[in-house]
């Protein structure tokens, strides 16, 4: 794996194959989420930023992503809400394990929890940011110019 597309494909395959996830959504920014309808439990991937480094003669790309897991729960049902939160954490933990099994150098930051209310249901969400480090060629490339 050596680019953004490979990273996207690996995470999409994880979501598509996971029995607890009904839908994978890739958005370019958080504002796109306002216009979507979801098939809950949904895993959302958002690219945030990238860094390029040749520090210590170790050329890498570091890609930062936002990850959101959304689930629909019965309103006024504390047990459903707690179980949904626990399952959302479980899915994020399994994604981290999956990426590590593929020898992807990744770090997950704090997981934040949110609940939003609907007419007769709540949306339970867990979000985290994480970084993936990808090796670059060790050779300095010539510049493509006229």
């Amino acid at each position: 794996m050596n680019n953004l597309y490979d990273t996207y494909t690996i995470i999409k395959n994880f979501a598509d194959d996971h029995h607890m996830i009904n839908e994978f959504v890739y958005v370019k920014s958080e504002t796109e989420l306002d216009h979507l309808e979801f098939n809950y439990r949904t895993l959302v991937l958002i690219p945030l930023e990238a860094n390029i480094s040749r520090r210590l003669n170790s050329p890498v790309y570091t890609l930062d992503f936002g990850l959101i897991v959304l689930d629909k729960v019965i309103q006024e049902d504390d047990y459903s809400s707690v179980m949904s939160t626990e399952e959302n954490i479980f899915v994020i933990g399994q994604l981290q394990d999956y990426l590590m099994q593929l020898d992807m150098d990744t770090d997950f930051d704090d997981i934040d929890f949110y609940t939003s209310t609907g007419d007769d249901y709540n949306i339970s969400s867990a979000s985290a940011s994480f970084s993936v480090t990808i090796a670059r060629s060790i050779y300095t490339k010539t510049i493509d110019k006229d």
Side-chain angles (χ1 to χ4, degrees):
M1 185 206 54
N2 60 3
N3 59 42
L4 176 60
Y5 185 74
D6 291 344
T7 303
Y8 159 85
T9 301
I10 287 169
I11 295 170
K12 181 179 183 334
N13 289 341
F14 167 83
D16 289 345
D17 294 342
H18 200 289
H19 296 294
M20 293 174 70
I21 300 171
N22 293 324
E23 175 182 43
F24 172 77
V25 175
Y26 178 84
V27 295
K28 290 128 203 102
S29 70
E30 288 184 37
T31 56
E32 285 184 49
L33 296 173
D34 296 336
H35 309 289
L36 298 175
E37 290 189 30
F38 300 104
N39 180 17
Y40 301 100
R41 177 168 286 127
T42 301
L43 188 141
V44 179
L45 182 66
I46 308 166
L48 300 176
E49 66 182 17
N51 293 300
I52 300 170
S53 174
R54 286 194 176 276
R55 199 172 307 141
L56 300 175
N57 203 25
S58 178
V60 295
Y61 299 111
T62 302
L63 304 169
D64 295 336
F65 295 95
L67 181 77
I68 305 171
V69 180
L70 302 165
D71 192 25
K72 184 188 271 188
V73 296
I74 300 168
Q75 197 172 41
E76 307 291 327
D77 185 344
D78 291 344
Y79 178 76
S80 292
S81 180
V82 169
M83 289 307 300
S84 177
T85 299
E86 184 175 324
E87 290 169 357
N88 289 345
I89 295 169
F90 179 77
V91 167
I92 293 172
Q94 284 200 321
L95 175 60
Q96 181 182 33
D97 292 347
Y98 179 76
L99 296 176
M100 292 175 73
Q101 289 170 8
L102 295 174
D103 293 326
M104 292 178 68
D105 183 7
T106 184
D107 293 312
F108 277 74
D109 290 333
D110 297 332
I111 298 174
D112 296 315
F113 305 111
Y114 304 97
T115 300
S116 58
T117 57
D119 294 333
D120 58 347
Y121 60 86
N122 290 340
I123 304 301
S124 169
S125 62
S127 66
S129 59
F130 68 100
S131 300
V132 175
T133 302
I134 300 171
R136 295 171 54 201
S137 170
I138 59 170
Y139 303 107
T140 304
K141 304 293 185 191
T142 59
I143 306 302
D144 186 15
K145 59 182 180 175
D146 295 330

